[in-house]
Amino acid sequence: METPARVALISAPRGDVEWNALGDEAGALLSQYLRINTTNPPGNEIVAARWLAAVLRRDGIEAQVFEPAPGKANLYARLRGDGSARPLILLNHMDVVLASPEYWQVDPFGGAVRGGYIWGRGALDMKGEGIAQLMTLLILKRAAVPLKRDVIFLATSDEEIGAGVGAGSFAARHADLIRDAEFLITEGGTTRVNEQGGVDYYGVGTTEKSPFWLNMIARGTPGHGSRPTPDNPVHRLIRALGRIAEWRTPLVVTPGVERYFKDLATLETDSTRRRWFSDIRAALRDSVAVRTITSDLTYNALLRNTISITGLKGSDKTNVIPPLATAVLDVRLLPGQEPAAFLAELQRVVGDTEVTFRPQGPSWPATESSTDTDLFRAIEAAAHARHPEALVTTPMLAGFTDSHYFRRMGIASYGIGPFPLTVSDSRGVHGNDERVSLEALRFGVRFLYDVVKRVAAR
Ligand SMILES: [Zn+2]
């Protein structure tokens, strides 16, 4: 592919004209990037990585492309600073989730530019933000901005399948390339605008819940369906699942969530809710408040460990009682919760030693990045430079991103959503007609560059 024309810079961009041109360049790059189908599985991220490497090379930035498995890739590029501060990593994933073209108005891999929007699977999650990060690197390099810290661009595979050879395996195999980093920026934040175009808040991701996916196995006596056994494992499983479904996990207020509700209180127009949110701990001692607040699915997920029973399996044959029956549970743990302690509690709730649980994969206690850092202050300053009145807050993500691999290495990691989006704009994430407006892209490119410049420029 012929990459789009570059905007020449002799110094850091200042005016709207230059920034609009850079926004257009970002739009043209995004449209190309969306045409590379990286639906995972299989991902085929190597094609995306080669394209990113070619775009970087045009500006004299040499990227290393690692191929951890056939067709898979992780790309690493580093702009050098003077070393007086530790590096900042810009992390993005190249893979996307499946798109069902029959439900889309356009080809999800056509890179269409229509009605002021750039359409395609990944426009929001997260090729758009990947392009904003790429533009940041290109602008810093073109304008020869003197840096005090290295800025690392890291594009990875396998974020969407939560395993594989992406960020986690890169962090393990190439720890030497990132270990010295102080900060990381990736997805998981929100810049929320209302339908009137005003900014409600800038949400910066400082923490997220930790997935603890479990296989549940009930054992019993197999037999013929015509002669019921007292310990049919399917019956046993159903009884145990009934107890789990009824179990109200304890309400827990983590420091980050407490701060988030306090922030929300400042936006709240209803006086009762304002009182509840300003002291969420006190509110949770009031049964009316508990019922109202936890009836909101998002708030509920922020205030407790959650369990969704999502899969079931008994016998393949109607007339055969199987030797075991299984279920799968999607458990999400709050920061500070130990997986092993939760498992012991779950076993106690079930109260049946013939029912056992097996974690599907490695688990980790969720961690939180402090807001008392130069990067967090840079994000706040960049937000307030645009919207002086806007709230900058730290909503916890109920889902998860790749940032936990880096938080666990001691790298302060933040989720930023550089594009101002309404609630309905965000629906394209993992849904149909995913798109980003050119206006939001322009804003996001300039905003992200501003954040990085504030924390990394000399
Ligand atoms: Zn994503």
Side-chain angles (χ1 to χ4, degrees):
M1 272 190 278
E2 184 78 32
T3 41
R6 301 163 58 237
V7 176
L9 294 173
I10 44 166
S11 62
R14 291 177 193 282
D16 288 347
V17 174
E18 255 174 328
W19 274 113
N20 286 345
L22 289 163
D24 292 346
E25 181 180 345
L29 285 170
L30 178 58
S31 167
Q32 278 199 349
Y33 194 13
L34 293 174
R35 273 178 258 159
I36 303 170
N37 185 340
T38 51
T39 303
N40 201 8
N44 217 9
E45 294 95 336
I46 187 71
V47 182
R50 288 191 184 126
W51 177 81
L52 287 168
V55 175
L56 287 161
R57 195 172 306 122
R58 284 195 320 164
D59 272 285
I61 302 169
E62 276 312 313
Q64 284 174 269
V65 176
F66 298 91
E67 289 187 61
K72 310 298 283 187
N74 296 308
L75 176 143
Y76 175 91
R78 189 162 181 146
L79 270 192
R80 294 280 169 193
D82 68 13
S84 60
R86 290 157 57 206
L88 160 69
I89 301 170
L90 304 176
L91 172 72
N92 62 92
H93 63 83
M94 297 179 282
D95 60 326
V96 298
V97 293
L98 191 78
S100 307
E102 62 271 31
Y103 301 114
W104 284 59
Q105 297 179 48
V106 299
D107 174 3
F109 300 99
V113 182
R114 188 192 287 184
Y117 285 83
I118 301 156
W119 302 62
R121 171 58 85 223
L124 297 171
D125 182 15
M126 74 169 287
K127 285 177 170 171
E129 186 165 353
I131 290 295
Q133 295 183 355
L134 178 76
M135 288 302 296
T136 297
L137 219 71
L138 298 181
I139 297 167
L140 291 171
K141 169 79 176 172
R142 270 179 217 170
V145 176
L147 298 172
K148 62 181 172 191
R149 56 175 95 237
D150 294 3
V151 178
I152 294 168
F153 179 84
L154 181 58
T156 55
S157 293
D158 283 348
E159 194 277 340
E160 295 292 1
I161 61 170
V165 293
S169 103
F170 183 88
R173 290 194 211 179
H174 304 287
D176 50 313
L177 294 177
I178 52 174
R179 192 184 285 117
D180 59 338
E182 182 172 14
F183 297 127
L184 178 141
I185 292 173
T186 189
E187 63 185 340
T190 328
T191 301
R192 177 64 71 224
V193 289
N194 50 48
E195 300 292 344
Q196 292 75 43
V199 169
D200 280 343
Y201 61 87
Y202 286 82
V204 183
T206 55
T207 188
E208 51 195 34
K209 288 178 94 173
S210 171
F212 186 40
W213 295 346
L214 297 173
N215 293 330
M216 176 174 172
I217 304 112
R219 284 165 218 286
T221 308
H224 196 279
S226 64
R227 299 193 318 118
T229 56
D231 64 344
N232 179 333
V234 180
H235 294 199
R236 173 163 265 149
L237 182 78
I238 290 170
R239 284 194 298 271
L241 289 173
R243 287 181 209 119
I244 292 173
E246 289 297 309
W247 182 33
R248 291 182 187 279
T249 55
L251 293 166
V252 178
V253 181
T254 65
V257 168
E258 184 171 25
R259 194 173 56 235
Y260 175 57
F261 275 106
K262 267 200 174 65
D263 288 343
L264 287 184
T266 65
L267 295 180
E268 190 53 66
T269 48
D270 178 274
S271 64
T272 306
R273 291 168 68 89
R274 193 161 57 233
R275 180 164 48 79
W276 288 344
F277 287 0
S278 61
D279 188 350
I280 191 72
R281 282 178 202 280
L284 294 185
R285 290 193 289 269
D286 168 359
S287 63
V288 176
V290 168
R291 219 172 315 123
T292 313
I293 294 168
T294 60
S295 69
D296 179 300
L297 301 183
T298 304
Y299 296 157
N300 183 59
L302 298 184
L303 291 166
R304 52 173 27 128
N305 301 324
T306 58
I307 307 169
S308 292
I309 302 166
T310 50
L312 283 176
K313 190 164 169 18
S315 176
D316 290 330
K317 287 205 165 19
T318 305
N319 63 355
V320 172
I321 299 170
L324 46 89
T326 60
V328 293
L329 307 184
D330 182 348
V331 174
R332 306 288 176 128
L333 301 179
L334 290 166
Q337 303 282 308
E338 275 297 331
F342 181 85
L343 202 54
E345 187 64 7
L346 190 61
Q347 196 77 65
R348 188 192 62 75
V349 167
V350 164
D352 183 343
T353 53
E354 292 303 307
V355 175
T356 54
F357 297 91
R358 196 177 308 134
Q360 288 182 3
S363 58
W364 58 90
T367 51
E368 189 161 350
S369 295
S370 166
T371 53
D372 183 17
T373 65
D374 287 341
L375 177 52
F376 193 86
R377 282 183 284 275
I379 297 167
E380 272 183 319
H384 285 145
R386 287 155 177 79
H387 300 99
E389 305 296 317
L391 177 64
V392 178
T393 183
T394 53
M396 178 169 68
L397 214 58
F400 65 103
T401 68
D402 277 339
S403 54
H404 65 91
Y405 296 116
F406 303 88
R407 284 202 181 109
R408 285 185 280 156
M409 294 172 80
I411 301 171
S413 304
Y414 300 109
I416 294 188
F419 309 129
L421 302 175
T422 64
V423 172
S424 68
D425 287 336
S426 309
R427 290 209 182 103
V429 174
H430 292 208
N432 305 319
D433 290 336
E434 185 176 351
R435 60 192 187 271
V436 63
S437 72
L438 185 57
E439 194 188 338
L441 186 69
R442 279 177 174 171
F443 178 98
V445 167
R446 193 168 180 175
F447 174 68
L448 190 67
Y449 171 82
D450 189 14
V451 168
V452 172
K453 186 176 145 256
R454 283 170 193 269
V455 76
R458 252 199 333 253

